[in-house]
Amino acid sequence: MKIVEQIKQPIAFEMELFEKKFKLSMSSKVALLNRITHYIVNRKGKQMRPMFVFLVAKMVSDGEISERTYRGASVIELIHTATLVHDDVVDDSNQRRGFFSVNALWKNKIAVLIGDYLLSKGLLLSIDNNDFDLLKIISIAVREMSEGELLQIEKARSLDITETVYYEIIRQKTATLIAACCSLGAASVMPNSVHIENMRKFGELIGMAFQIKDDLFDYGETQIGKPTGIDIKEQKMTLPLIYALNQATKKEKKWLINSVKNHNKNTKRVKEVIAYVKENGGLDYAVNKMKAFQNEALQILETYPESAYKNSLKLMVDYVIDRKK
């Protein structure tokens, strides 16, 4: 059995029902909107976010969930989808998961409006049901994601990213959404409980490990659908590169920064940077940091009683580290 199917097993029924509810939450009276949202729904990914919501909710409440849990999962997915549609416009990207992106098929103007529509659908789903606590969790996540993206853009111009700033960027950009899924799962069944903060922290740690794993793919030989060196070409400062820069002599540092700033489209030079980072311990350092976040996340899980949901969350933590793409 595939690992994702194994993780999903204890919540298979909930996930099936969620898909139906999610499709309904997207519906509109405008035919064009329905056509585009239908296109989006049929090209969904692994659905890790709703899986986090349901697994956490069931783990902290001995297997109980409510309509609030389904709404929370729908809101997260609506708002996440909105950010992806907008991201593709920002990045001028024509593909998403191997398919044409919304902006590639329907142009930027429509893509931006679709993103706005999904965002408002998500907000209203919470407001109409008085789920203000869930809405607050999600709104904070959206604010942090925007700040993280802008902080990364600001720092990319000067390439002066320290390790501390890097962690802040990935916490906001990536980890905050997984943290929101986990705290939202807990809040949907156990409002005002300690589980909400516990699970937020758990999700944040997994998100940090997830992003470092993504950084490592940029240096890997495995085929993951994107060629190596993309981050360098886009002048993104990732953990392996930051570590290598910190260890470099003045002369090497100058060469590295010059390579990333002025020669990032030169394939030979990018390969040299990748080789330098590997030889100077950048990858080993990043792997160790990733595993430290993973272990901290697993320690939080150990405070909960044994259950199928807890086991699936453990598998999820391992999957984040071991995935091949």
Side-chain angles (χ1 to χ4, degrees), residues 67-79:
E67 271 304 312
R68 253 165 71 86
T69 315
Y70 285 103
R71 286 198 299 270
S74 291
V75 171
I76 276 277
E77 205 61 348
L78 280 165
I79 288 178

Side-chain angles (χ1 to χ4, degrees), residues 2-263:
K2 275 187 172 173
I3 182 80
V4 176
E5 291 309 311
Q6 215 177 322
I7 293 167
K8 213 183 265 192
Q9 219 173 0
I11 50 162
F13 170 78
E14 286 80 6
M15 288 298 290
E16 214 170 295
L17 187 52
F18 161 74
E19 290 213 12
K20 289 172 187 156
K21 288 176 184 282
F22 182 58
K23 276 181 185 172
L24 281 174
S25 70
M26 273 191 168
S27 65
S28 154
K29 293 186 180 78
V30 180
L32 175 62
L33 255 171
N34 285 333
R35 200 156 69 238
I36 298 171
T37 53
H38 179 76
Y39 177 82
I40 293 169
V41 168
N42 287 345
R43 278 149 196 81
K44 62 185 184 303
K46 296 185 191 76
Q47 293 195 297
M48 300 302 250
R49 280 155 296 277
M51 281 159 66
F52 272 123
V53 174
F54 290 116
L55 286 170
V56 166
K58 290 200 142 206
M59 182 183 74
V60 303
S61 67
D62 297 327
E64 297 297 316
I65 61 163
S66 65
E67 271 304 312
R68 253 165 71 86
T69 315
Y70 285 103
R71 286 198 299 270
S74 291
V75 171
I76 276 277
E77 205 61 348
L78 280 165
I79 288 178
H80 173 65
T81 308
T83 61
L84 292 184
V85 172
H86 282 166
D87 277 354
D88 287 338
V89 175
V90 171
D91 298 339
D92 206 10
S93 175
N94 290 324
Q95 284 207 323
R96 166 75 57 185
R97 299 193 188 104
F99 295 98
F100 282 118
S101 57
V102 173
N103 51 303
L105 291 171
W106 286 282
K107 303 290 177 250
N108 284 351
K109 187 175 181 178
I110 288 176
V112 170
L113 293 169
I114 289 288
D116 292 347
Y117 172 76
L118 295 173
L119 200 59
S120 65
K121 273 282 192 184
L123 299 175
L124 285 168
L125 185 58
S126 293
I127 292 164
D128 290 346
N129 292 285
N130 294 325
D131 296 331
F132 297 112
D133 55 336
L134 305 187
L135 184 58
K136 186 174 182 181
I137 290 170
I138 293 156
S139 300
I140 289 169
V142 174
R143 181 193 69 198
E144 297 240 301
M145 283 157 68
S146 308
E147 284 180 352
E149 283 286 355
L150 288 162
L151 179 60
Q152 186 173 44
I153 290 166
E154 179 194 339
K155 293 295 180 184
R157 287 175 179 161
S158 50
L159 300 186
D160 64 345
I161 294 187
T162 60
E163 202 172 317
T164 312
V165 171
Y166 165 81
Y167 290 134
E168 186 55 18
I169 289 171
I170 68 167
R171 186 191 67 75
Q172 290 185 313
K173 258 189 69 176
T174 305
T176 194
L177 188 67
I178 300 174
C181 295
C182 296
S183 57
L184 192 128
S188 72
V189 286
M190 306 280 273
N192 307 314
S193 69
V194 292
H195 303 299
I196 299 169
E197 177 52 25
N198 277 353
M199 288 294 102
R200 187 202 66 75
K201 187 68 188 156
F202 166 74
E204 184 172 284
L205 290 162
I206 296 177
M208 300 292 276
F210 183 93
Q211 186 56 55
I212 295 173
K213 178 71 175 183
D214 255 16
D215 289 356
L216 288 163
F217 282 140
D218 206 46
Y219 294 86
E221 280 81 30
T222 49
Q223 193 50 44
I224 54 143
K226 78 166 191 174
T228 54
I230 288 289
D231 289 337
I232 295 167
K233 284 173 188 149
E234 291 178 358
Q235 299 190 4
K236 279 183 188 160
M237 297 292 280
T238 57
L239 189 55
L241 180 59
I242 291 166
Y243 178 80
L245 271 169
N246 288 341
Q247 307 308 306
T249 63
K250 215 171 182 180
K251 190 181 171 188
E252 289 167 337
K253 201 170 190 175
K254 197 176 171 186
W255 174 80
L256 278 168
I257 289 175
N258 186 27
S259 301
V260 176
K261 249 190 173 168
N262 305 314
H263 302 280

